[in-house]
Amino acid sequence: MSISVWREVELSLTRTHDEPYAAEEWADFEHESGLRLRRPAFWDGGDIWRVRFAAPSPGRWTWTSGSDSGELDVEPADPDQNNPFYAHGFWRMSPGGRSLVHADGTPAILAGDTAWALPWRATPEQVREYAADRQAKGFNAVLLMTVQPDMRAVGPRDRTQDEGFAVGFEDLADGHLNQLNVEYFQYLDELLRILVEHGLVPVLQPVFHGFGWKGLDVAGTVVPPAEYARYCRYLVARYGAQPAIYLVGGDGSGREPQIAAGGAEVHATDCYAQPTGIHYRPHIHADAHQDADWLDFQWCQTGHSGEHVPERVADMWRNQPVKAIANGEPTYENTGRTGVATGWWQGHEAWSNLCAGGTMGVVYGAGSLWQWKLHPDEPGHSDYFAAPGAGWREAVGFEGSSYLGLLTKILRGLPTTDMEPDWTRVISGRALSVPGRLLVIYREHGGTVPVFDDDVPLPYTIVDPRDGSVVATGKRDSPRAVLPDAGGQPRVYICLADL
């Protein structure tokens, strides 16, 4: 079998177990260089088991699973490959643990959207429409609750009917994860592949711990930790041979026992070391499991009242040991009432949080999109969180979403790996630096920027972050010369050393 690096290949096995979902099967892969990787297999109904694998290196690979074995001939990536995850490999944490890089070291900044309910509400046609919009805008990740988490949610098992949803576990309503619905995950396979083919990384949250879909009792806080961990292993097995991030804690305190169990299981079973972390509710001190080997990132949530609170991200930056930081959920655009956190509010929020220390990336949210509300008048959703007059399609077009992806486009190709907040080199409230190589400054109202450090590179580019246009380029005459701008508009200043 011939494949390309970082492209998923699926192997089928026949296994008989009395309780197949509770059983474990594995496959071992060895490269001609001696590199060995181990992947968990997953049950896919009846006596069918599958192993999914993505080779990180070209050459000959052999595999074994019990008495089954085979070979894979792996080709290098096509030089014209435009999907960054096939060209450069999956994301992992940077050497300093502050930011993302691809497997080959290429810098990356996450630009995530919150389409939480997509897995149990959306159809493939809808996901293609959604993914095309997000890819065009520059998004590269989508936060997803992998199953509908509210134990008391009711509705038809039909994604096309009002209040309908698909069911991942038949016993989730009782606070358990034992009776897996194989057909649900076979359907989810297609949805996630559409996202990945559009360069959007699924951020997989097993079972939510906070508000959930409709604010009912969530299963994430009551599922036995062993069942939660087993489900995390299943997600790694089924979806871990494609780009992924594992969000083992969702909207809770971070100290729920399920989180540590799930994080440790992901760490033990994911041979690609894709990022694993926690997303907190707004009023929690975000430092749970800070010293855990399995923890790569901490994501705060600043609430949904339309306030900018970058100091929460700055506070998390100081936690030790070092973990990557992001604001994983700012105010949803138009949440609850029209005009909340709309338009450039989202752009300012993104740049402010990035420069405060959220160097893993930025996240966007829109009312009615995160619930995947089928149409503006669909009943059964919280008025506090739904955008008036909008279903998911209308919410996709909210203005603020355009500014999140622009951030990654503006910084693409720059040496952003392990950049740090910088308060000393210039008179500016918000800046990031890689000493001697890069300084990025964001100013809400632009204007001249005095420089007070000889280490700041002389060449500069000034960009309007609202549309990505370059408004000025040049090279300062001396290390203490100012960065010039007329002021009055948002500006991003990029000082990049000649390499």
Side-chain angles (χ1 to χ4, degrees):
M1 181 182 296
S2 180
I3 57 173
S4 296
V5 290
W6 298 112
R7 299 300 295 263
E8 180 185 81
V9 61
E10 183 177 276
L11 309 172
S12 295
L13 309 171
T14 301
R15 299 286 189 268
T16 301
H17 293 280
D18 291 337
E19 298 182 31
Y21 175 59
E24 290 188 38
E25 293 285 347
W26 298 82
D28 294 293
F29 296 81
E30 184 170 354
H31 186 247
E32 57 188 304
S33 67
L35 173 66
R36 296 180 179 180
L37 299 175
R38 196 172 200 226
R39 289 282 297 144
F42 64 90
W43 175 60
D44 205 30
D47 59 359
I48 301 299
W49 287 71
R50 304 191 191 279
V51 178
R52 291 173 177 169
F53 175 71
S57 303
R60 186 174 66 88
W61 289 79
T62 58
W63 66 270
T64 59
S65 179
S67 61
D68 297 296
S69 63
E71 293 187 359
L72 302 171
D73 293 319
V74 181
E75 302 292 333
D78 188 322
D80 297 325
Q81 175 59 251
N82 58 14
N83 187 312
F85 301 99
Y86 300 149
H88 303 292
F90 301 163
W91 279 340
R92 60 183 59 177
M93 301 315 301
S94 61
R98 291 294 196 185
S99 59
L100 294 172
V101 294
H102 289 273
D104 67 358
T106 300
I109 296 173
L110 176 143
D113 192 17
T114 46
W116 290 116
L118 178 153
W120 66 86
R121 298 225 81 196
T123 65
E125 295 73 22
Q126 292 170 349
V127 175
R128 290 189 187 95
E129 180 181 343
Y130 166 80
D133 177 274
R134 273 12 193 180
Q135 180 185 42
K137 288 176 177 172
F139 284 87
N140 54 25
V142 185
L143 280 61
L144 305 170
M145 301 182 199
T146 57
V147 292
Q148 195 290 113
D150 289 345
M151 292 185 289
R152 292 189 291 113
V154 295
R157 294 197 182 192
D158 186 338
R159 297 165 182 263
T160 67
Q161 290 190 37
D162 285 1
E163 300 192 69
F165 60 95
V167 175
F169 286 88
E170 298 295 339
D171 55 347
L172 184 143
D174 300 321
H176 287 281
L177 301 174
N178 295 314
Q179 300 173 25
L180 180 133
N181 186 338
V182 169
E183 291 77 15
Y184 174 89
F185 290 95
Q186 291 170 342
Y187 197 100
L188 184 58
D189 286 349
E190 183 176 2
L191 304 186
L192 297 193
R193 286 189 182 119
I194 293 169
L195 295 176
V196 170
E197 290 301 319
H198 285 80
L200 300 168
V201 176
V203 180
L204 302 173
Q205 206 296 310
V207 188
F208 228 49
H209 300 89
F211 186 83
W213 181 34
K214 295 188 175 183
L216 307 175
D217 299 328
V218 289
T221 59
V222 299
V223 167
E227 294 178 19
Y228 195 87
R230 181 175 61 199
Y231 179 44
C232 287
R233 182 174 70 245
Y234 188 85
L235 292 174
V236 172
R238 189 151 201 143
Y239 302 115
Q242 62 185 15
I245 288 178
Y246 302 102
L247 197 62
V248 293
D251 198 36
S253 71
R255 291 172 171 80
E256 295 83 358
Q258 297 83 4
I259 292 174
E265 190 68 23
V266 171
H267 185 70
T269 56
D270 174 27
C271 64
Y272 301 111
Q274 300 201 73
T276 304
I278 302 174
H279 166 292
Y280 293 87
R281 66 170 63 105
H283 57 282
I284 295 299
H285 192 63
D287 64 351
H289 309 293
Q290 189 77 24
D291 60 352
D293 290 341
W294 58 262
L295 185 73
D296 296 313
F297 65 85
Q298 302 273 34
W299 287 1
C300 74
Q301 178 186 168
T302 51
H304 299 289
S305 58
E307 297 175 315
H308 297 294
V309 197
E311 55 267 32
R312 291 213 62 197
V313 175
D315 183 57
M316 293 169 64
W317 170 272
R318 302 180 186 98
N319 290 343
Q320 295 290 327
V322 165
K323 304 295 179 182
I325 304 300
N327 178 359
E329 198 176 359
T331 301
Y332 294 123
E333 189 165 11
N334 289 314
T335 188
R337 60 179 176 84
T338 301
V340 173
T342 55
W344 178 244
W345 187 100
Q346 298 288 340
H348 176 72
E349 173 79 351
W351 284 101
S352 297
N353 281 278
L354 186 78
C355 293
T359 51
M360 185 173 179
V362 295
V363 177
Y364 169 78
S368 295
L369 173 59
W370 75 264
Q371 306 98 324
W372 209 265
K373 193 175 177 183
L374 297 186
H375 57 84
D377 298 320
E378 185 187 13
H381 296 279
S382 166
D383 290 339
Y384 180 81
F385 277 122
W392 74 267
R393 277 193 175 89
E394 292 79 11
V396 163
F398 289 166
E399 177 191 347
S401 64
S402 64
Y403 303 121
L404 270 288
L406 268 177
L407 183 149
T408 62
K409 292 181 179 180
I410 290 168
L411 299 180
R412 186 173 298 155
L414 298 178
T416 55
T417 300
D418 287 323
M419 59 187 177
E420 298 185 357
D422 194 321
W423 311 98
T424 63
R425 287 176 171 81
V426 297
I427 295 181
S428 175
R430 298 177 175 92
L432 294 160
S433 69
V434 179
R437 301 191 67 193
L438 175 69
L439 182 70
V440 176
I441 306 161
Y442 167 65
R443 301 192 86 177
E444 184 179 5
H445 303 293
T448 298
V449 180
V451 180
F452 294 98
D453 193 305
D454 294 348
D455 195 39
V456 175
L458 298 178
Y460 65 85
T461 300
I462 303 176
V463 179
D464 187 333
R466 298 168 299 178
D467 59 13
S469 62
V470 175
V471 298
T473 60
K475 187 172 184 178
R476 294 179 298 123
D477 295 332
S478 66
R480 299 302 175 99
V482 301
L483 290 163
D485 182 71
Q489 305 293 336
R491 291 289 182 262
V492 171
Y493 310 73
I494 300 170
C495 300
L496 179 65
D498 292 320
L499 300 178

